[in-house]
Amino acid sequence: PKPAPAAKPSPKKVVVSSRPVAGKSQGAAFVAPGQRVKVTARGMQANEKFTVKVAGKVVAKGRANARGEVSLTFKAPKVKSQGVRKVVVRGSSSGAVGYSKVTLAPKKKLKVSVRTPVRASDGQRVVVRGLLPREDVTVSYLGKVLAQGKADSQGRFVAKFTVGQAWGTMTVTAKGANANRSGKASVPAWWCRCGRSAPTCGPTARR
């Protein structure tokens, strides 16, 4: 019988780590397009050429040092959808490859919803959707920060507050991990105690 061909050895595994460099993101775990990310790797051949890819895009090229190590920073690429992406470091001659992860947080309009209408001094509930799981979020009202926290596993954040006595259109804003991830909602009118909305009720109707 003809001997079976020898199995090809698997490419050597490269140990890769990556972390965002402080910059546009409030939370270090979430990376904005253009923000710099530091990547280190070891396990390649001495002076081997390599490429770094994120979301299928080449973000860096170079050559390992004499110990087969890599240390560099690259700019996070622009992507249409948010989420976790692989950082792939691959040696060009040995085929050695390794992976790390980075969470990309591109520009996005967050969905902010409030309960309407409400009476003056009533409690209000704000729900922010479209965030990444565990993404940092800040909710503001009338120029003041109402709540800060992290989104749940579904990318949702809920805050509660009292609307105050003022009539008119008020705006609630929400900001995610960077300034390009935000949204807002407006409440058209608070209701007075007579039960009618402010535009149709005069001051004398307040009891």
Side-chain angles (χ1 to χ4, degrees):
K2 200 172 184 178
K8 291 183 179 180
S10 300
K12 188 175 180 180
K13 186 176 180 181
V14 176
V15 179
V16 180
S17 65
S18 58
R19 63 176 179 82
V21 176
K24 296 180 181 179
S25 290
Q26 291 179 337
F30 304 96
V31 180
Q35 184 178 347
R36 300 203 71 86
V37 178
K38 183 180 177 72
V39 62
T40 58
R42 55 186 172 84
M44 285 186 286
Q45 294 178 347
N47 304 310
E48 183 177 10
K49 291 182 178 180
F50 66 86
T51 58
V52 181
K53 286 186 176 183
V54 177
K57 300 178 180 180
V58 175
V59 294
K61 293 181 180 181
R63 190 183 290 272
N65 64 18
R67 295 185 297 275
E69 298 170 340
V70 171
S71 179
L72 55 82
T73 62
F74 64 84
K75 285 186 178 181
K78 291 183 179 180
V79 293
K80 291 183 178 180
S81 59
Q82 63 186 22
V84 178
R85 298 290 187 274
K86 282 185 177 180
V87 178
V88 183
V89 180
R90 187 184 300 273
S92 44
S93 56
S94 66
V97 63
Y99 306 93
S100 183
K101 293 180 180 179
V102 66
T103 303
L104 300 181
K107 181 178 180 179
K108 184 172 183 179
K109 184 177 181 180
L110 303 176
K111 183 178 180 181
V112 182
S113 57
V114 293
R115 183 169 59 88
T116 59
V118 291
R119 298 173 186 268
S121 296
D122 274 1
Q124 177 60 276
R125 183 172 182 266
V126 182
V127 182
V128 186
R129 294 181 174 87
L131 296 155
L132 286 157
R134 303 294 298 165
E135 181 175 356
D136 299 306
V137 58
T138 300
V139 177
S140 301
Y141 173 67
L142 296 178
K144 296 182 179 180
V145 173
L146 288 175
Q148 291 179 306
K150 294 182 181 293
D152 62 18
S153 61
Q154 303 301 313
R156 192 183 73 143
F157 181 79
V158 179
K160 296 180 180 180
F161 67 100
T162 301
V163 299
Q165 295 286 345
W167 285 355
T169 300
M170 308 298 177
T171 301
V172 178
T173 61
K175 187 173 77 169
N178 60 66
N180 290 323
R181 298 172 61 77
S182 62
K184 61 183 178 179
S186 296
V187 180
W190 308 134
W191 280 27
C192 75
R193 295 173 187 172
C194 72
R196 290 182 289 172
S197 60
T200 59
C201 176
T204 57
R206 303 185 72 175
R207 307 280 197 274

